[in-house]
């Protein structure tokens, strides 16, 4: 053993041995046992080793579980500080040494990680580099939610800033179809997504747009829109109305048929959902006379034809319904029970009035809920 590693009292100075002490320690023990130094030498050496190790680092397999959030762009020092504060490791210095020894400076990732308290720094690093320890959060965007509502969900769930949300709404996305006309509404596909914290809204939006692209390809949206004599954008707009009006997939092809039948007859669509979008109303299924007078081009009580773009983000069933409308001569529909979603369709105004009375009866019986 080099004299540089021995103190004046003859004891090993493990601080001087450094990070590679474990391999040197193993060689020393083998020599001691073979040379007759016996277990006395082993015990003293091991005692010194443990003393050195535990001064700036833990030993063992760790204790209770803990989750730690590593921000984007964090380096080994910042990560070491966070791990130390969480009780995962004993010192930032030990973590930096482990990172340098492993050549892992460029391998460190951001995200939420499942770790343990009181881990050796090298073990904590190994766990950070293992994708199995990444804790993925989930966010759900229901079908028929607007882009603004989706942003509100992200803000509430992950605490993202207004500035980040504004950026997500304004940047250009390669995954946005050309026929969207540069607008996100209708194309941020509603579903449940796994996201890595800290959440970046623009990354989530990009994922939603790519998912829309996959669903559109699956449904052959562009070619089927052409076969219907319409455009992909018009199909998505129609699907957005369907998704906003009814949630039962079995009713959606019927609603699609009503929309197309009214358009073919030159009738006003008169969809309350488009008025809600125009005036920014949520939480009610009905509109007032004042609402229906709003001059917005999205108000289908004031303007013939489809609105200029989607009013929500439709899911796969609504998109499929817009491409595959039911064979019916129905021109009207109304959901008569908001709890069950029961929706009735009619070909004449007289039939529709009878159905509307059923809806009004439900509203009267549930007036305290403020839905009508």
């Amino acid at each position: 053993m080099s004299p540089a590693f021995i103190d004046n009292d003859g004891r090993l100075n493990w601080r001087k041995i450094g990070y590679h002490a474990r391999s040197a320690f193993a060689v020393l023990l083998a020599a001691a046992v073979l040379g007759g130094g016996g277990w006395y030498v082993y015990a003293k050496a091991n005692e010194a080793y443990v003393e050195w190790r535990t001064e700036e680092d833990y030993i063992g397999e760790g204790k209770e579980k803990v989750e730690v959030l590593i921000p984007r762009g964090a380096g080994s020092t910042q990560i070491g500080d966070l791990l130390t504060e969480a009780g995962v490791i004993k010192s930032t210095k030990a973590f930096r040494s482990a990172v340098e020894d492993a050549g892992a400076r460029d391998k460190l990732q951001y995200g939420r990680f499942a770790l343990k308290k009181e881990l050796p720094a090298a073990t904590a690093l190994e766990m950070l580099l293992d994708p199995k320890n990444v804790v993925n959060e989930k966010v759900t965007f229901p079908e028929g939610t607007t882009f603004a509502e989706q942003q509100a969900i992200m803000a509430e769930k992950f605490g993202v800033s207004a500035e980040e949300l504004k950026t997500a709404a304004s940047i250009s996305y390669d995954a946005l179809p050309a026929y969207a006309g540069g607008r996100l509404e209708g194309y941020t596909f509603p579903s449940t997504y796994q996201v890595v914290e800290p959440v970046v809204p623009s990354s989530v939006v990009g994922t939603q747009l790519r998912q829309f692209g996959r669903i559109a390809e699956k449904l052959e949206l562009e070619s089927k829109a052409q076969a219907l004599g319409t455009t992909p954008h018009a199909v998505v707009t129609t699907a957005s109305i369907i998704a906003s009006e009814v949630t039962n997939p079995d009713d959606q092809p019927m609603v699609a048929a009503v929309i197309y039948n009214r358009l073919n007859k030159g009738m006003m669509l008169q969809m309350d959902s488009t008025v809600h979008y125009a005036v920014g109303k949520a939480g009610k299924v009905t509109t007032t006379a004042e609402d229906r007078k709003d001059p917005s081009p999205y108000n289908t009580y004031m303007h013939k034809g489809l609105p200029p773009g989607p009013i929500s983000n439709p899911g796969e069933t609504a998109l499929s319904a817009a491409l595959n409308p039911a064979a019916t001569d129905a021109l009207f529909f109304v959901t008569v029970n908001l709890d069950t979603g029961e929706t009735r369709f009619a070909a004449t105004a007289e039939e529709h009035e009878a159905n509307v009375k059923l809806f009004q009866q439900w509203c009267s019986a549930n007036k305290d809920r403020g839905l009508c």
Side-chain angles (χ1 to χ4, degrees):
M1 179 64 63
S2 170
F5 300 135
I6 302 175
D7 288 335
N8 293 332
D9 60 2
R11 296 181 64 186
L12 290 170
N13 188 325
W14 288 96
R15 294 183 183 85
K16 296 180 180 179
I17 294 177
Y19 187 82
H20 299 285
R22 277 175 287 188
S23 59
F25 178 64
V27 173
L28 172 66
L29 290 184
V33 173
L34 292 175
W39 295 106
Y40 176 80
V41 173
Y42 170 85
K44 290 298 183 181
N46 186 61
E47 180 183 336
Y49 174 69
V50 170
E51 180 184 350
W52 167 75
R53 278 294 309 277
T54 55
E55 182 174 326
E56 293 186 344
D57 202 1
Y58 290 117
I59 60 174
E61 301 299 320
K63 294 186 177 180
E64 65 268 27
K65 295 179 180 179
V66 65
E67 291 184 2
V68 179
L69 179 62
I70 306 299
R72 290 173 181 265
S76 59
T77 298
Q78 186 179 359
I79 295 174
D81 289 344
L82 291 170
L83 296 178
T84 302
E85 291 172 8
V88 175
I89 60 174
K90 200 165 189 179
S91 74
T92 299
K93 180 180 178 181
F95 183 75
R96 287 203 314 265
S97 296
V99 171
E100 291 301 319
D101 187 69
R105 181 181 296 180
D106 296 331
K107 298 178 183 178
L108 297 171
Q109 300 290 324
Y110 67 89
R112 185 176 294 276
F113 294 85
L115 305 171
K116 291 182 180 180
K117 289 192 173 184
E118 298 190 14
L119 285 172
T123 303
L125 174 62
E126 290 174 5
M127 293 184 72
L128 287 175
L129 297 179
D130 188 345
K132 293 180 181 178
N133 295 316
V134 176
V135 179
N136 287 316
E137 287 285 348
K138 292 183 179 180
V139 60
T140 298
F141 303 117
E143 181 173 10
T145 49
T146 64
F147 179 68
E149 288 169 338
Q150 292 178 348
Q151 286 193 307
I153 290 172
M154 278 196 285
E156 181 178 357
K157 186 175 180 65
F158 302 113
V160 294
S161 68
E163 184 178 350
E164 289 177 296
L165 293 173
K166 184 178 180 181
T167 298
S170 61
I171 64 176
S172 177
Y173 294 91
D174 292 338
L176 184 65
Y179 53 78
R183 296 185 72 250
L184 293 173
E185 193 76 86
Y187 300 93
T188 51
F189 194 81
S191 186
T192 297
Y193 295 92
Q194 284 193 342
V195 296
V196 177
E197 293 184 278
V199 173
V200 176
S202 58
S203 295
V204 178
V205 171
T207 300
Q208 291 178 270
L209 294 175
R210 288 189 290 274
Q211 180 63 10
F212 174 87
R214 286 188 284 267
I215 297 300
E217 183 177 1
K218 173 185 175 182
L219 297 176
E220 301 177 12
L221 191 150
E222 294 189 50
S223 61
K224 286 189 175 180
Q226 185 176 10
L228 284 172
T230 187
T231 66
H233 186 63
V235 167
V236 178
T237 301
T238 301
S240 75
I241 297 174
I242 296 169
S244 298
E245 291 283 347
V246 293
T247 57
N248 186 346
D250 293 335
D251 291 329
Q252 290 179 335
M254 286 290 291
V255 173
V258 169
I259 292 173
Y260 291 136
N261 289 345
R262 293 178 75 92
L263 290 174
N264 290 337
K265 288 181 176 293
M267 298 172 64
M268 293 277 197
L269 286 183
Q270 296 184 326
M271 299 288 170
D272 286 344
S273 58
T274 66
V275 178
H276 292 154
Y277 189 79
V279 300
K281 180 180 286 188
K284 287 183 177 290
V285 298
T286 56
T287 56
T288 65
E290 184 179 356
D291 291 337
R292 295 189 290 273
K293 291 179 182 178
D294 191 280
S296 168
Y298 285 87
N299 181 356
T300 56
Y301 279 85
M302 293 288 290
H303 305 279
K304 277 190 176 183
L306 288 169
I311 62 168
S312 73
N313 292 280
E316 182 172 353
T317 59
L319 288 167
S320 178
L323 292 169
N324 302 281
T328 178
D329 59 355
L331 293 170
F332 307 90
F333 71 91
V334 60
T335 300
V336 299
N337 187 315
L338 301 185
D339 287 326
T340 64
E342 179 188 354
T343 300
R344 297 201 176 189
F345 298 85
T348 67
E350 292 76 17
E351 293 173 323
H352 180 57
E353 283 301 319
N355 292 335
V356 169
K357 287 181 180 179
L358 293 176
F359 167 66
Q360 291 170 338
Q361 290 172 8
W362 187 94
C363 288
S364 179
N366 295 273
K367 59 184 177 182
D368 58 321
R369 297 169 64 180
L371 298 175
C372 301

